[in-house]
Amino acid sequence: MAKPRGRQLTVAHQAGRLKQQFQDEPGPIVKKGELVWSVTLQPTPISVHYKVGVRYRHRQRPTVKVLHPTLDTRPNEPLPHIFPGNELCLYYKDEFIGTEHFIADTIIPWASEWLYFYEQWMSTGTWFGAEAPHQPDTPKRGSRTV
């Protein structure tokens, strides 16, 4: 499914692309303008399987959470690159625009990459993923390019 020429992507376009790209997963539910979907991701062949939930409303930032298993932390350290409510921080500012970029081609691969870096952080204590610059006293966030 290609982006409709000269048109913005809608929630229905996003749902169609997710169905097309992830045929082994149950399709997204779209109700009252909101897309709700979950996918199983395994960042590497030796990784555990993560059930990741996605919620998206047109022109809003998608929320992405790990539903299962519960993410552990390192002793005396909070989870890195997380928004309040344990939403994964996957990109910086306008690197994802829901009316222009497909969730299936950006957010889902970025979530898998975030899980890979999470596993590395659990093992080493270092976050190896990209980070965006921030002003002092501003939490760091992951950064991606589209």
Side-chain angles (χ1 to χ4, degrees):
M1 170 182 279
K3 178 182 172 190
R5 185 174 290 182
R7 294 182 41 201
Q8 293 185 354
L9 295 175
T10 65
V11 172
H13 290 125
Q14 296 288 2
R17 180 63 160 231
L18 289 166
K19 273 183 171 176
Q20 179 186 50
Q21 294 291 101
F22 298 92
Q23 295 177 9
D24 293 338
E25 298 286 338
I29 296 169
V30 177
K31 205 184 251 186
K32 296 183 181 178
E34 181 178 45
L35 179 151
V36 179
W37 185 62
S38 65
V39 61
T40 301
L41 299 177
Q42 184 183 23
T44 71
I46 61 171
S47 296
V48 300
H49 290 87
Y50 297 92
K51 182 63 95 177
V52 175
V54 178
R55 289 183 168 271
Y56 174 69
R57 285 192 168 279
H58 190 60
R59 294 190 176 131
Q60 294 184 10
R61 177 177 61 83
T63 59
V64 181
K65 295 182 179 185
V66 175
L67 305 175
H68 182 78
T70 300
L71 296 176
D72 292 326
T73 62
R74 294 177 54 80
N76 302 314
E77 293 184 50
L79 281 172
H81 298 281
I82 292 284
F83 288 115
N86 286 340
E87 292 178 31
L88 306 187
C89 180
L90 303 175
Y91 60 94
Y92 185 69
K93 290 191 176 183
D94 295 333
E95 291 175 331
F96 174 83
I97 300 169
T99 57
E100 297 178 18
H101 305 118
F102 282 108
I103 291 169
D105 300 338
T106 54
I107 298 298
I108 303 308
W110 295 345
S112 186
E113 187 177 55
W114 188 100
L115 291 165
Y116 171 79
F117 290 127
Y118 162 76
E119 291 176 349
Q120 297 301 306
W121 172 76
M122 285 296 293
S123 295
T124 67
T126 301
W127 186 267
F128 292 106
E131 293 186 42
H134 292 276
Q135 297 176 7
D137 301 324
T138 303
K140 292 181 179 178
R141 296 170 59 174
S143 179
R144 259 326 109 262
T145 57
V146 177

